[in-house]
Amino acid sequence: EIVMTQSPATLSVSPGERATLSCRASQSVSSNLAWYQQKPGQAPRLLISGASTRATGIPARFSGSGAGTEFTLSISSLQSEDFAVYYCQQHNNWPLTFGGGTKVEIK
Amino acid sequence: EVQLVESGGGLVQPGGSLRLSCAASGFTFSIYSMNWVRQAPGKGLEWLSYISSGSNTIYYADSVKGRFTISRDNAKNSLYLQMSSLRAEDTAVYYCAGGRGGTTFEYWGQGTLVTVSS
């Protein structure tokens, strides 16, 4: 099983600032990495798949990069609605696995 | 509008069984692979099971293999999860999820809560 490790666990950011979230895979997942956003009481929302392809309707301030074992989700200028928990997920091997999440909170 | 609506959750005793359903609408369900994902209270996401569009390919997480069974009825636009030998650690919100890629989750239901407790 591929273990996904996200860091940091919590990220404190001021509105308008840039946020950078990291995700590491225990072995290569090529570019088969997705990012999700989850707000309290809601289902997750797909932001990015294939490491860097934004899902339909996702604002351009969200960008993903990386390949192999190291991945990054960047949010260029945090809006109030972006404060949430973010999960990475590898979609290269079975079983599909998620990272433990990064909570982005208001500083 | 794409909709996935789960049902069937509730309180069940350890060792008991429960069947979850997921009703799909707003997209061509029969050509999409589907999955079940769960989230324990205050915890992260855990993928549980995958079923291909024609039910030919099925995968399970080790944590539920042998206890849970995924199935679908394309004529009814419905996905199911039969859960047996339930344990306290199965307590979670259960989501059905799917997408064009099959292994990423573009569409999610609102979730149904399963509580395993005596």
Side-chain angles (χ1 to χ4, degrees):
Chain A
E1 169 176 320
I2 296 176
V3 177
M4 307 301 294
T5 303
Q6 292 185 242
S7 61
T10 304
L11 186 61
S12 298
V13 185
S14 299
E17 288 188 341
R18 183 181 189 87
T20 302
L21 289 65
S22 295
C23 176
R24 174 177 293 177
S26 60
Q27 65 188 73
S28 177
V29 297
S30 187
S31 294
N32 296 312
L33 191 285
W35 290 94
Y36 299 83
Q37 176 194 67
Q38 187 179 33
K39 298 179 181 178
Q42 296 184 16
R45 177 174 70 147
L46 177 66
L47 298 175
I48 286 173
S49 61
S52 61
T53 302
R54 278 189 303 276
T56 303
I58 301 303
R61 65 180 181 273
F62 290 92
S63 63
S65 63
T69 62
E70 301 284 343
F71 300 88
T72 299
L73 174 69
S74 297
I75 312 170
S76 59
S77 177
L78 272 160
Q79 307 296 302
S80 57
E81 61 267 29
D82 300 335
F83 292 95
V85 179
Y86 293 83
Y87 294 95
C88 62
Q89 175 235 331
Q90 64 84 14
H91 53 101
N92 193 65
N93 289 73
W94 301 99
L96 306 177
T97 48
F98 289 90
T102 291
K103 181 179 181 181
V104 177
E105 63 176 25
I106 300 174
K107 187 175 182 179
Chain B
E1 180 194 4
V2 171
Q3 273 203 311
L4 294 171
V5 180
E6 300 95 338
S7 60
L11 176 63
V12 60
Q13 293 189 336
S17 299
L18 212 55
R19 188 195 198 205
L20 306 183
S21 299
C22 172
S25 60
F27 67 105
T28 308
F29 177 77
S30 61
I31 66 172
Y32 278 65
S33 300
M34 295 296 295
N35 297 264
W36 287 98
V37 176
R38 72 182 177 186
Q39 186 169 36
K43 303 297 184 182
L45 301 167
E46 180 186 16
W47 170 81
L48 297 180
S49 186
Y50 162 96
I51 186 167
S52 62
S53 57
S55 303
N56 297 314
T57 301
I58 287 174
Y59 296 110
Y60 295 100
D62 284 347
S63 59
V64 303
K65 197 175 297 181
R67 299 188 301 124
F68 291 11
T69 301
I70 192 171
S71 63
R72 65 190 295 162
D73 185 335
N74 287 340
K76 294 183 178 180
N77 288 341
S78 293
L79 177 72
Y80 306 102
L81 187 68
Q82 178 68 47
M83 306 186 295
S84 62
S85 303
L86 284 161
R87 308 164 179 166
E89 54 265 37
D90 294 318
T91 295
V93 173
Y94 285 71
Y95 296 101
C96 63
R100 277 164 282 195
T103 53
T104 54
F105 312 122
E106 187 178 352
Y107 308 136
W108 293 76
Q110 85 289 350
T112 187
L113 176 62
V114 173
T115 303
V116 184
S117 175
S118 55

